[in-house]
C-alpha cells in the first residue's frame, strides 16, 4: 500500500536533484523513518502534522483537490488537481531522469465559472487529448489511448511491489490555500523505487502546465502518492461505484479515438452522479456533443480501478531529514 515513507522518498529525490547531491535509497528511507518514529515516542506525540497514509486519498491536502487525467498508449499520465487556477506556466526545460512514455494534459479554461458549468471548468486537473497513431509523445492534444493493445490488468507475473502510480506536488500558501504544481503518473506497473523517483522528478520538472519546481518552493510543498490496482473492464460505462472506483474511458468521435480518466475520489468531490461523471470525462477527452446524447457515441468502453493514497508535507520531511543529518546517516542536505 502507499505509505508516508513513499512520500518522504519523493521529497528526498526532489531535494537531492535540486541540491545536486546523492539521495537516500527507498529502503534506507524506510529504515530511517521507522527509527525516527520510535526514537522518542513521547516526544513525538502531537508534533507530526501534515502526513497521511490514506487509501481514500488526500485527507490532509485540502477539500478542492480532484485528480483528473488523460492518457496515452505509452502508459504515462499527467494529472492536475484542484479547482483553483494553476500557477503561471512556462515551458519546462529539464528532462526526466529516464525516458518516460509521454502523455499530455490540457488545463481547464481560466474563464471557467464553476465546477459544474462546463467540462473545462472542473479544475486544472483534467485533460483532453485526441487519439491517433500519428500522435507525438509530447503533444498536449494528440496522444493514443488504446484498450485493445494493452491489458488493463497487470500480468500474473508482476510482483506485488510493482504498481501503476501517480505523484502529485501541491503548494500551500500562508493561509492554507492549495495550488497544484505538477502531477504525472502511469498505468504501467512500476517497481516502486525507480517509479517513485522517475515520476516524482517528472511531475516536478516536466509537467508542461507549470514552470519547473525550484528550491525556494520546497517549504510550501506537499506530495500525494496514489498506487492503482484492481483494473476491471466495465460491462457498460456505468458499471462502477462512486467513491470506490476510478474510471478510464475510450471512445470514437468524428473518426478519431479519444480517452481520459478520473481517479476514484473525483466524482464524489464534485458531487456528480455516475452519468454526470461519464459525460464530464467524455468532454474532457474532447467530445463536444449534447449531454443527453452520450450513449450514442461510438465504441464507448470503460475500465474501472481502485487506488490507495498517502500524503506528506515538507515540514515532516525536513524534521525527519534534519534528524537523519544529526545521526550522520546519508548525504547531508543544504541549510
Amino acid at each position: 500500500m502507499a505509505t508516508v515513507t513513499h512520500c518522504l522518498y519523493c521529497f528526498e529525490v526532489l531535494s537531492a536533484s535540486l541540491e545536486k547531491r546523492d539521495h537516500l535509497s527507498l529502503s534506507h528511507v524506510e529504515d530511517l523513518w521507522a527509527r525516527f518514529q520510535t526514537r522518542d515516542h513521547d516526544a513525538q506525540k502531537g508534533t507530526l502534522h501534515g502526513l497521511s497514509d490514506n487509501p481514500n486519498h488526500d485527507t490532509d491536502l485540502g477539500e478542492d483537490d480532484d485528480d483528473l487525467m488523460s492518457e496515452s498508449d505509452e502508459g504515462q499520465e499527467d494529472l492536475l488537481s484542484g479547482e483553483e487556477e494553476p500557477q503561471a506556466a512556462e515551458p519546462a526545460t529539464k528532462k526526466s531522469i529516464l525516458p518516460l512514455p509521454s502523455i499530455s494534459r490540457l488545463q481547464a479554461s481560466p474563464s471557467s465559472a464553476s465546477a459544474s458549468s462546463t467540462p473545462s471548468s472542473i479544475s486544472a486537473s483534467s485533460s483532453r487529448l485526441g487519439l491517433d497513431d500519428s500522435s507525438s509523445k509530447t503533444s498536449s492534444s494528440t496522444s493514443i489511448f488504446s484498450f485493445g493493445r494493452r491489458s488493463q490488468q497487470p500480468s500474473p507475473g508482476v510482483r506485488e511491489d510493482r504498481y501503476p502510480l501517480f505523484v502529485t506536488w501541491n503548494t500551500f500558501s500562508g493561509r492554507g490555500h492549495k495550488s497544484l504544481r505538477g502531477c504525472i503518473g502511469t498505468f504501467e506497473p512500476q517497481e516502486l523505487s525507480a517509479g517513485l523517483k522517475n515520476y516524482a522528478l517528472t511531475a516536478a520538472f516536466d509537467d508542461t502546465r507549470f514552470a519547473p519546481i525550484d528550491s525556494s518552493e520546497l517549504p510550501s510543498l506537499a506530495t500525494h502518492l496514489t498506487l492503482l490496482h484492481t483494473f476491471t473492464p466495465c460491462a457498460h460505462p456505468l458499471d462502477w461505484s462512486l467513491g470506490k472506483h476510478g474510471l478510464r474511458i475510450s471512445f470514437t468521435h468524428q473518426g478519431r479515438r479519444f480517452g481520459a480518466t478520473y481517479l476514484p475520489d473525483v466524482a464524489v468531490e464534485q458531487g456528480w452522479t455516475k452519468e454526470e461523471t461519464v459525460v464530464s470525462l467524455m468532454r474532457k477527452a474532447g467530445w463536444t456533443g449534447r449531454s443527453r446524447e452520450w450513449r450514442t457515441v461510438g465504441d464507448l468502453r470503460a475500465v474501472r480501478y481502485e487506488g490507495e493514497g498517502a500524503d506528506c508535507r515538507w515540514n515532516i520531511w525536513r524534521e525527519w531529514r534534519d534528524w537523519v543529518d544529526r545521526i550522520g546517516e546519508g548525504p547531508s542536505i543544504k541549510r
Side-chain angles (χ1 to χ4, degrees):
M1 64 175 293
T3 68
V4 170
T5 55
H6 296 148
C7 296
L8 291 172
Y9 182 65
C10 291
F11 267 114
E12 173 67 14
V13 298
L14 175 60
S15 173
S17 177
L18 291 169
E19 296 176 0
K20 302 186 185 308
R21 61 170 174 83
D22 293 333
H23 62 80
L24 298 168
S25 68
L26 177 57
S27 61
H28 204 178
V29 170
E30 291 170 335
D31 175 65
L32 289 168
W33 177 247
R35 290 162 57 188
F36 175 75
Q37 289 186 296
T38 59
R39 78 197 192 285
D40 186 348
H41 181 71
D42 291 337
Q44 285 301 293
K45 288 181 179 178
T47 65
L48 297 181
H49 304 287
L51 55 83
S52 171
D53 289 339
N54 174 23
N56 294 320
H57 179 56
D58 244 355
T59 55
D60 290 326
L61 292 185
E63 298 178 355
D64 58 348
D65 180 66
D66 50 57
D67 296 319
L68 296 74
M69 304 167 293
S70 297
E71 44 279 281
S72 79
D73 63 325
E74 296 296 331
Q76 177 170 317
E77 313 295 330
D78 291 356
L79 177 154
L80 296 176
S81 304
E83 293 185 29
E84 65 276 2
E85 182 176 345
Q87 300 174 14
E90 297 177 5
T93 57
K94 291 192 179 182
K95 299 297 182 181
S96 304
I97 296 302
L98 295 177
L100 296 176
S102 176
I103 184 156
S104 305
R105 175 194 51 236
L106 295 184
Q107 172 184 346
S109 168
S111 63
S112 301
S114 72
S116 59
S117 59
T118 68
S120 62
S121 69
I122 296 167
S123 75
S125 57
S126 52
S127 302
R128 179 186 66 189
L129 61 164
L131 294 104
D132 57 32
D133 289 331
S134 62
S135 63
S136 166
K137 288 186 177 182
T138 58
S139 167
S140 63
S141 61
T142 55
S143 297
I144 299 171
F145 178 90
S146 172
F147 284 87
R149 287 181 292 174
R150 170 170 299 150
S151 170
Q152 303 303 307
Q153 186 73 23
S155 65
V158 173
R159 295 185 332 213
E160 292 184 358
D161 61 348
R162 296 177 64 91
Y163 296 92
L165 60 87
F166 295 84
V167 178
T168 304
W169 295 106
N170 294 295
T171 58
F172 282 82
S173 69
R175 296 183 177 181
H177 180 71
K178 182 181 65 177
S179 298
L180 182 74
R181 280 298 278 117
C183 191
I184 297 177
T186 179
F187 279 108
E188 292 297 302
Q190 304 287 305
E191 188 277 323
L192 281 180
S193 180
L196 291 174
K197 177 179 179 178
N198 291 338
Y199 285 98
L201 295 179
T202 304
F205 300 137
D206 294 340
D207 184 333
T208 57
R209 298 230 142 266
F210 307 94
I213 290 174
D214 62 50
S215 57
S216 68
E217 297 178 88
L218 286 174
S220 66
L221 279 181
T223 188
H224 178 79
L225 168 68
T226 307
L227 301 182
L228 306 183
H229 60 90
T230 317
F231 290 78
T232 306
C234 297
H236 53 80
L238 303 182
D239 181 27
W240 54 282
S241 299
L242 286 166
K244 178 180 180 181
H245 295 121
L247 189 66
R248 189 181 186 190
I249 66 166
S250 167
F251 60 92
T252 300
H253 178 53
Q254 296 180 344
R256 298 175 62 197
R257 198 76 188 154
F258 290 83
T261 188
Y262 284 162
L263 286 180
D265 59 330
V266 173
V268 172
E269 289 183 355
Q270 295 295 327
W272 291 333
T273 64
K274 290 196 288 185
E275 184 167 341
E276 288 170 337
T277 302
V278 171
V279 171
S280 175
L281 191 51
M282 291 174 64
R283 292 199 186 285
K284 288 302 179 181
W287 182 63
T288 57
R290 296 179 180 178
S291 296
R292 64 177 179 270
E293 297 174 348
W294 71 270
R295 295 176 187 270
T296 67
V297 172
D299 195 24
L300 176 57
R301 287 178 275 175
V303 170
R304 63 178 184 258
Y305 59 87
E306 299 175 41
E308 297 177 350
D311 307 307
C312 183
R313 294 181 70 166
W314 179 87
N315 64 306
I316 296 302
W317 174 82
R318 185 60 190 256
E319 181 181 353
W320 165 77
R321 200 56 174 78
D322 286 343
W323 172 81
V324 170
D325 281 358
R326 288 197 299 272
I327 65 172
E329 296 269 359
S332 297
I333 60 176
K334 292 184 178 180
R335 304 295 167 181

